[in-house]
Short mmCIF file of all heavy atoms in Angstrom, two decimals:
data_model
loop_
_atom_site.label_atom_id
_atom_site.label_comp_id
_atom_site.label_asym_id
_atom_site.label_seq_id
_atom_site.Cartn_x
_atom_site.Cartn_y
_atom_site.Cartn_z
N THR A 1 -31.05 4.45 22.02
CA THR A 1 -30.77 5.24 23.22
C THR A 1 -29.82 6.39 22.91
O THR A 1 -30.04 7.54 23.32
CB THR A 1 -30.16 4.35 24.32
OG1 THR A 1 -31.07 3.29 24.64
CG2 THR A 1 -29.86 5.15 25.57
N ARG A 2 -28.78 6.09 22.16
CA ARG A 2 -27.83 7.14 21.78
C ARG A 2 -28.51 8.20 20.93
O ARG A 2 -28.31 9.40 21.12
CB ARG A 2 -26.64 6.53 21.03
CG ARG A 2 -25.54 7.54 20.71
CD ARG A 2 -24.48 6.90 19.84
NE ARG A 2 -23.81 5.83 20.56
CZ ARG A 2 -23.22 4.80 19.96
NH1 ARG A 2 -23.25 4.69 18.65
NH2 ARG A 2 -22.60 3.88 20.67
N GLY A 3 -29.33 7.77 19.98
CA GLY A 3 -30.03 8.72 19.13
C GLY A 3 -31.02 9.56 19.90
O GLY A 3 -31.14 10.78 19.67
N ALA A 4 -31.75 8.92 20.83
CA ALA A 4 -32.76 9.65 21.60
C ALA A 4 -32.12 10.71 22.49
O ALA A 4 -32.58 11.86 22.55
CB ALA A 4 -33.57 8.67 22.45
N LEU A 5 -31.03 10.33 23.17
CA LEU A 5 -30.38 11.29 24.07
C LEU A 5 -29.64 12.37 23.29
O LEU A 5 -29.50 13.50 23.77
CB LEU A 5 -29.43 10.56 25.02
CG LEU A 5 -30.14 9.68 26.06
CD1 LEU A 5 -29.14 9.04 27.01
CD2 LEU A 5 -31.16 10.48 26.86
N THR A 6 -29.15 12.03 22.11
CA THR A 6 -28.54 13.06 21.26
C THR A 6 -29.59 14.06 20.81
O THR A 6 -29.37 15.28 20.82
CB THR A 6 -27.86 12.42 20.04
OG1 THR A 6 -26.85 11.50 20.46
CG2 THR A 6 -27.22 13.49 19.16
N THR A 7 -30.77 13.56 20.43
CA THR A 7 -31.88 14.45 20.05
C THR A 7 -32.26 15.35 21.21
O THR A 7 -32.46 16.56 21.06
CB THR A 7 -33.09 13.61 19.62
OG1 THR A 7 -32.73 12.77 18.52
CG2 THR A 7 -34.25 14.50 19.20
N PHE A 8 -32.38 14.75 22.41
CA PHE A 8 -32.73 15.53 23.60
C PHE A 8 -31.66 16.59 23.87
O PHE A 8 -31.99 17.75 24.18
CB PHE A 8 -32.87 14.60 24.80
CG PHE A 8 -33.26 15.31 26.07
CD1 PHE A 8 -34.60 15.44 26.42
CD2 PHE A 8 -32.29 15.85 26.91
CE1 PHE A 8 -34.96 16.11 27.58
CE2 PHE A 8 -32.65 16.51 28.07
CZ PHE A 8 -33.98 16.64 28.41
N SER A 9 -30.39 16.19 23.75
CA SER A 9 -29.30 17.12 24.06
C SER A 9 -29.29 18.31 23.11
O SER A 9 -29.14 19.46 23.54
CB SER A 9 -27.96 16.39 23.99
OG SER A 9 -26.88 17.26 24.23
N ILE A 10 -29.45 18.05 21.81
CA ILE A 10 -29.45 19.14 20.84
C ILE A 10 -30.63 20.08 21.07
O ILE A 10 -30.49 21.31 21.09
CB ILE A 10 -29.48 18.57 19.41
CG1 ILE A 10 -28.17 17.82 19.12
CG2 ILE A 10 -29.70 19.68 18.39
CD1 ILE A 10 -28.15 17.10 17.79
N ALA A 11 -31.82 19.49 21.27
CA ALA A 11 -33.00 20.30 21.54
C ALA A 11 -32.83 21.07 22.85
O ALA A 11 -33.23 22.25 22.96
CB ALA A 11 -34.25 19.42 21.62
N ASN A 12 -32.23 20.43 23.84
CA ASN A 12 -31.97 21.04 25.14
C ASN A 12 -31.05 22.25 24.99
O ASN A 12 -31.29 23.32 25.58
CB ASN A 12 -31.36 19.98 26.05
CG ASN A 12 -30.99 20.52 27.41
OD1 ASN A 12 -31.84 20.82 28.22
ND2 ASN A 12 -29.69 20.60 27.68
N ASP A 13 -30.00 22.10 24.17
CA ASP A 13 -29.05 23.19 23.98
C ASP A 13 -29.70 24.37 23.25
O ASP A 13 -29.50 25.53 23.63
CB ASP A 13 -27.83 22.70 23.19
CG ASP A 13 -26.97 21.74 24.00
OD1 ASP A 13 -27.03 21.82 25.24
OD2 ASP A 13 -26.26 20.92 23.39
N ILE A 14 -30.48 24.07 22.22
CA ILE A 14 -31.14 25.15 21.47
C ILE A 14 -32.10 25.93 22.38
O ILE A 14 -32.16 27.17 22.34
CB ILE A 14 -31.90 24.55 20.26
CG1 ILE A 14 -30.90 23.98 19.25
CG2 ILE A 14 -32.79 25.61 19.61
CD1 ILE A 14 -31.55 23.25 18.09
N ALA A 15 -32.83 25.17 23.22
CA ALA A 15 -33.76 25.83 24.13
C ALA A 15 -33.01 26.72 25.13
O ALA A 15 -33.48 27.82 25.46
CB ALA A 15 -34.58 24.78 24.87
N LYS A 16 -31.84 26.27 25.58
CA LYS A 16 -31.06 27.08 26.52
C LYS A 16 -30.60 28.38 25.88
O LYS A 16 -30.55 29.43 26.54
CB LYS A 16 -29.85 26.28 27.02
CG LYS A 16 -30.18 25.26 28.10
CD LYS A 16 -28.93 24.64 28.69
CE LYS A 16 -28.18 23.81 27.67
NZ LYS A 16 -27.02 23.12 28.26
N TYR A 17 -30.28 28.33 24.59
CA TYR A 17 -29.85 29.55 23.91
C TYR A 17 -30.96 30.62 24.00
O TYR A 17 -30.72 31.77 24.37
CB TYR A 17 -29.53 29.30 22.44
CG TYR A 17 -28.54 28.19 22.17
CD1 TYR A 17 -28.49 27.56 20.94
CD2 TYR A 17 -27.63 27.79 23.16
CE1 TYR A 17 -27.59 26.55 20.68
CE2 TYR A 17 -26.72 26.77 22.91
CZ TYR A 17 -26.70 26.15 21.67
OH TYR A 17 -25.82 25.15 21.41
N PHE A 18 -32.18 30.21 23.66
CA PHE A 18 -33.30 31.16 23.65
C PHE A 18 -33.74 31.54 25.06
O PHE A 18 -34.35 32.58 25.26
CB PHE A 18 -34.49 30.57 22.88
CG PHE A 18 -34.28 30.55 21.40
CD1 PHE A 18 -33.84 29.41 20.76
CD2 PHE A 18 -34.52 31.69 20.64
CE1 PHE A 18 -33.64 29.40 19.39
CE2 PHE A 18 -34.33 31.68 19.26
CZ PHE A 18 -33.88 30.53 18.62
N ALA A 19 -33.41 30.67 26.03
CA ALA A 19 -33.86 30.93 27.40
C ALA A 19 -32.96 31.93 28.12
O ALA A 19 -33.45 32.79 28.87
CB ALA A 19 -33.94 29.63 28.19
N ILE A 20 -31.65 31.85 27.91
CA ILE A 20 -30.74 32.63 28.75
C ILE A 20 -30.02 33.75 28.02
O ILE A 20 -29.71 34.78 28.64
CB ILE A 20 -29.70 31.71 29.44
CG1 ILE A 20 -28.78 31.08 28.38
CG2 ILE A 20 -30.38 30.67 30.29
CD1 ILE A 20 -27.61 30.33 28.99
N ILE A 21 -29.73 33.58 26.71
CA ILE A 21 -28.94 34.62 26.03
C ILE A 21 -29.64 35.98 26.04
O ILE A 21 -29.02 37.00 26.36
CB ILE A 21 -28.59 34.17 24.59
CG1 ILE A 21 -27.58 33.02 24.66
CG2 ILE A 21 -28.03 35.33 23.77
CD1 ILE A 21 -27.17 32.48 23.29
N PRO A 22 -30.95 36.05 25.74
CA PRO A 22 -31.60 37.38 25.83
C PRO A 22 -31.55 37.97 27.23
O PRO A 22 -31.36 39.18 27.39
CB PRO A 22 -33.05 37.07 25.41
CG PRO A 22 -32.95 35.84 24.56
CD PRO A 22 -31.87 35.03 25.21
N ALA A 23 -31.70 37.10 28.25
CA ALA A 23 -31.69 37.61 29.62
C ALA A 23 -30.31 38.12 30.01
O ALA A 23 -30.18 39.13 30.74
CB ALA A 23 -32.13 36.50 30.59
N ILE A 24 -29.26 37.47 29.53
CA ILE A 24 -27.90 37.87 29.91
C ILE A 24 -27.49 39.16 29.22
O ILE A 24 -26.88 40.06 29.82
CB ILE A 24 -26.91 36.73 29.57
CG1 ILE A 24 -27.22 35.49 30.41
CG2 ILE A 24 -25.47 37.17 29.79
CD1 ILE A 24 -26.39 34.28 30.05
N PHE A 25 -27.83 39.27 27.93
CA PHE A 25 -27.30 40.39 27.14
C PHE A 25 -28.31 41.52 26.92
O PHE A 25 -28.01 42.49 26.23
CB PHE A 25 -26.82 39.89 25.78
CG PHE A 25 -25.61 39.00 25.88
CD1 PHE A 25 -25.74 37.61 25.83
CD2 PHE A 25 -24.35 39.55 26.04
CE1 PHE A 25 -24.63 36.81 25.92
CE2 PHE A 25 -23.24 38.74 26.13
CZ PHE A 25 -23.36 37.35 26.08
N ALA A 26 -29.51 41.39 27.48
CA ALA A 26 -30.52 42.45 27.27
C ALA A 26 -30.06 43.78 27.85
O ALA A 26 -30.41 44.85 27.31
CB ALA A 26 -31.86 42.03 27.88
N VAL A 27 -29.30 43.76 28.94
CA VAL A 27 -28.82 45.01 29.54
C VAL A 27 -27.81 45.68 28.63
O VAL A 27 -27.79 46.91 28.47
CB VAL A 27 -28.22 44.73 30.92
CG1 VAL A 27 -27.61 46.00 31.51
CG2 VAL A 27 -29.26 44.16 31.86
N VAL A 28 -26.95 44.85 28.00
CA VAL A 28 -25.91 45.39 27.12
C VAL A 28 -26.51 45.79 25.77
O VAL A 28 -26.19 46.84 25.21
CB VAL A 28 -24.79 44.36 26.93
CG1 VAL A 28 -23.69 44.92 26.00
CG2 VAL A 28 -24.20 43.98 28.28
N TYR A 29 -27.40 44.90 25.27
CA TYR A 29 -28.06 45.16 23.98
C TYR A 29 -29.57 45.15 24.22
O TYR A 29 -30.21 44.10 24.13
CB TYR A 29 -27.67 44.09 22.95
CG TYR A 29 -26.18 43.99 22.72
CD1 TYR A 29 -25.45 42.95 23.27
CD2 TYR A 29 -25.53 44.95 21.96
CE1 TYR A 29 -24.08 42.85 23.06
CE2 TYR A 29 -24.16 44.88 21.74
CZ TYR A 29 -23.44 43.83 22.30
OH TYR A 29 -22.09 43.75 22.10
N PRO A 30 -30.17 46.29 24.54
CA PRO A 30 -31.60 46.37 24.91
C PRO A 30 -32.53 45.77 23.87
O PRO A 30 -33.63 45.32 24.20
CB PRO A 30 -31.84 47.88 25.07
CG PRO A 30 -30.50 48.44 25.39
CD PRO A 30 -29.51 47.62 24.63
N GLY A 31 -32.13 45.73 22.60
CA GLY A 31 -32.99 45.17 21.58
C GLY A 31 -33.30 43.69 21.79
O GLY A 31 -34.31 43.17 21.28
N LEU A 32 -32.44 42.99 22.56
CA LEU A 32 -32.66 41.57 22.83
C LEU A 32 -33.77 41.33 23.84
O LEU A 32 -34.21 40.20 24.02
CB LEU A 32 -31.37 40.91 23.34
CG LEU A 32 -30.22 40.75 22.32
CD1 LEU A 32 -28.98 40.19 23.01
CD2 LEU A 32 -30.65 39.84 21.19
#
């Protein structure tokens, strides 16, 4: 259970990076 939720959490965090960082900083850095 600990391993499964840790795997989910890490994958979840990585997905959030690609989901929101370009949207947040695209105005400041149009290349994103």
Side-chain angles (χ1 to χ4, degrees):
T1 301
R2 185 186 296 154
L5 291 183
T6 300
T7 301
F8 181 92
S9 178
I10 294 174
N12 177 70
D13 290 336
I14 293 174
K16 281 188 295 184
Y17 306 158
F18 286 97
I20 65 172
I21 291 179
I24 296 174
F25 292 100
V27 176
V28 180
Y29 302 104
L32 290 176

